[in-house]
Amino acid sequence: MDSARTFRHIWPLRVRSYHVDRQNVVHNLQYLYFFEEARVEYIRAVGLPMDEGTFLTHDKFFVVKNCCEYAAPAYFDEMLEILTRISFIGESSIGFEHIARKTDGTLCARGEHVFVHVDTESNTPSRVPEALRSLIAAYEGAIPRK
């Protein structure tokens, strides 16, 4: 995973009481939720519609990989920044990378996620549409192919 300088999208987040465990540390599972919320905001920033019909009428993706590595604890009421970028676009897959860090730059967690575009009828892998590739490239610049 590259340095934080290569991430265009930054989503701020305040750690809430329901994010932490009995030790006042953000529970490990919460980072997957943080990354999911940041991905939705990333998709909005790219220019795709995000509304009540998005997951019913637009492209269909399956999550095939969720990976999270933890570096330092975050605590109740701290401000975090969730950085998001597309790391690759394959024939049918898209890779996301995330960094969760404190506002002082302390790394809390890193995430890697892979989504596969699937045909809405057969649920089998299908090519990532050119329109989506173009929107992502316009936002990110050159994206590695996998």
Side-chain angles (χ1 to χ4, degrees):
M1 187 174 289
D2 291 333
S3 79
R5 289 185 301 274
T6 64
F7 288 74
R8 285 200 60 213
H9 191 266
I10 299 174
W11 180 66
L13 167 79
R14 182 176 299 279
V15 176
R16 305 293 183 192
S17 59
Y18 57 89
H19 296 145
V20 299
D21 60 20
R22 294 180 68 194
Q23 299 167 331
N24 197 36
V25 172
V26 171
H27 188 276
N28 60 62
L29 179 61
Q30 291 297 327
Y31 286 98
L32 293 178
Y33 291 121
F34 296 166
F35 297 156
E36 172 67 18
E37 290 179 45
R39 272 194 304 276
V40 168
E41 296 308 318
Y42 176 93
I43 290 166
R44 277 192 179 107
V46 165
L48 291 171
M50 288 302 292
D51 55 40
E52 67 277 353
T54 294
F55 300 110
L56 299 173
T57 60
H58 298 289
D59 292 302
K60 187 174 183 180
F61 286 88
F62 288 163
V63 177
V64 297
K65 178 182 179 180
N66 267 330
C67 178
C68 189
E69 298 176 358
Y70 307 96
Y75 300 97
F76 170 70
D77 209 38
E78 283 190 303
M79 288 300 299
L80 299 180
E81 297 172 329
I82 310 300
L83 289 68
T84 304
R85 74 181 192 128
I86 300 284
S87 56
F88 71 85
I89 299 178
E91 182 66 23
S92 63
S93 59
I94 296 178
F96 281 86
E97 291 182 352
H98 297 280
I99 291 176
R101 69 181 183 190
K102 298 180 183 188
T103 54
D104 70 0
T106 301
L107 175 67
C108 294
R110 294 175 186 257
E112 293 182 31
H113 317 278
V114 177
F115 293 77
V116 171
H117 185 263
V118 294
D119 179 81
T120 57
E121 302 284 323
S122 66
N123 287 330
T124 57
S126 62
R127 182 168 171 75
V128 174
E130 288 305 320
L132 179 55
R133 291 171 186 271
S134 295
L135 280 173
I136 294 168
Y139 184 79
E140 289 279 1
I143 301 196
R145 295 214 175 237
K146 190 170 190 182

